[in-house]
Amino acid sequence: MKVSIIGDSYSTFKGYLSPSSNPAYYPKGITEVTEVSHTWWHQFITQNQLRLECNNSYSGSTVARKQTANGSSYVERYPELGNPDLIFVFGGTNDSWQGIPVGDYQYSDWKEDDLLYFRPAFAYLLNRLQQTYPDAQIVNLINTGLKKDYKEAMETICQYYHVCNISLGDFEKVNGHPTKKGMESICRQITQTLIKQ
């Protein structure tokens, strides 16, 4: 099985991003995440004997488009995930941190300006992922510590689209980012949830 990731800094690792010009947060000494084998996704892929298709993660990126658009948002990057069997969506953190307006729930007829708001943008993202990769399983990951509106929006929208959603429990972080131990916890939580399905 081929795995693709659309993510932010949590899923980056220099030298393993596509496109390679995407800015990476990891490796980062203070987190002890200094090898690609320390990342949550590399652990998951290795332990389950899967193959990385594409890691389109971009440090600092939001799900929603921003007025100063540079093509970094999830709603702009979703077409570039290769030909995956499994897609991990790990986002919303920067939307919450940066206070992207939440907006209203909207499940169709999106216009460009709608994608500046989190709820319509996240719904658009899942809709487009399902349309673009009809044979792929999509798994959404929700970070800890998000503002309530963003977490609830993702849960509600995943339910609407019947997308597997994993709200992560606490894991170790430094400066808001997973440590080596935190990465192991993320991998373990994903594995435990998917095994139960």
Side-chain angles (χ1 to χ4, degrees), residues 6-9 58-77 90-101 115-118 121-122 125 150:
I6 184 164
D8 52 27
S9 57
Y58 193 112
S59 189
S61 62
T62 52
V63 170
R65 275 184 63 243
K66 293 167 83 172
Q67 295 283 12
T68 53
N70 62 354
S72 67
S73 72
Y74 288 51
V75 296
E76 294 163 288
R77 287 187 285 126
F90 198 175
T93 300
N94 291 304
D95 299 81
S96 178
W97 286 355
Q98 295 174 26
I100 295 289
L115 304 182
L116 299 170
Y117 298 87
F118 182 72
F122 188 69
L125 174 67
Y150 299 85

Side-chain angles (χ1 to χ4, degrees), residues 42-55:
H42 196 280
Q43 291 176 53
F44 181 83
I45 286 169
T46 305
Q47 289 169 18
N48 294 284
Q49 297 172 309
L50 309 175
R51 186 158 69 78
L52 179 64
E53 170 75 358
C54 173
N55 183 356

Side-chain angles (χ1 to χ4, degrees), residues 176-196:
H177 288 77
T179 60
K180 184 182 175 190
K181 198 169 157 190
M183 291 287 192
E184 289 164 3
S185 175
I186 293 170
C187 176
R188 195 161 51 245
Q189 291 183 56
I190 295 167
T191 303
Q192 286 166 353
T193 306
L194 293 182
I195 282 170
K196 284 177 194 163

Side-chain angles (χ1 to χ4, degrees), residues 20-194:
S20 57
S21 55
N22 285 3
Y25 181 82
Y26 295 101
K28 202 77 162 176
I30 55 163
T31 63
E32 297 183 346
V33 179
T34 53
E35 306 284 336
V36 71
S37 60
H38 299 160
T39 62
W40 68 266
W41 52 268
H42 196 280
Q43 291 176 53
F44 181 83
I45 286 169
T46 305
Q47 289 169 18
N48 294 284
Q49 297 172 309
L50 309 175
R51 186 158 69 78
L52 179 64
E53 170 75 358
C54 173
N55 183 356
N56 193 333
S57 296
Y58 193 112
S59 189
S61 62
T62 52
V63 170
R65 275 184 63 243
K66 293 167 83 172
Q67 295 283 12
T68 53
N70 62 354
S72 67
S73 72
Y74 288 51
V75 296
E76 294 163 288
R77 287 187 285 126
Y78 76 85
E80 299 158 17
L81 297 179
N83 184 26
D85 301 301
L86 173 62
I87 299 170
F88 282 110
V89 181
F90 198 175
T93 300
N94 291 304
D95 299 81
S96 178
W97 286 355
Q98 295 174 26
I100 295 289
V102 176
D104 299 320
Y105 288 105
Q106 182 181 348
Y107 296 105
S108 62
D109 303 321
W110 299 274
K111 296 182 176 61
E112 212 157 285
D113 283 354
D114 298 326
L115 304 182
L116 299 170
Y117 298 87
F118 182 72
R119 284 179 180 139
F122 188 69
Y124 173 89
L125 174 67
L126 294 191
N127 174 273
R128 287 297 184 264
L129 287 172
Q130 288 182 335
Q131 302 290 325
T132 310
Y133 312 98
D135 299 324
Q137 182 191 0
I138 300 167
V139 176
N140 183 62
L141 307 175
I142 300 183
N143 192 9
T144 60
L146 298 192
K147 291 174 191 150
K148 189 179 170 194
D149 285 350
Y150 299 85
K151 183 175 189 284
E152 284 180 356
M154 285 196 273
E155 290 169 345
T156 301
I157 294 164
C158 282
Q159 207 168 8
Y160 181 89
Y161 286 111
H162 307 290
V163 164
C164 173
N165 183 56
I166 302 174
S167 285
L168 296 167
D170 283 338
F171 55 89
E172 190 178 87
K173 300 180 190 180
V174 171
N175 290 347
H177 288 77
T179 60
K180 184 182 175 190
K181 198 169 157 190
M183 291 287 192
E184 289 164 3
S185 175
I186 293 170
C187 176
R188 195 161 51 245
Q189 291 183 56
I190 295 167
T191 303
Q192 286 166 353
T193 306
L194 293 182

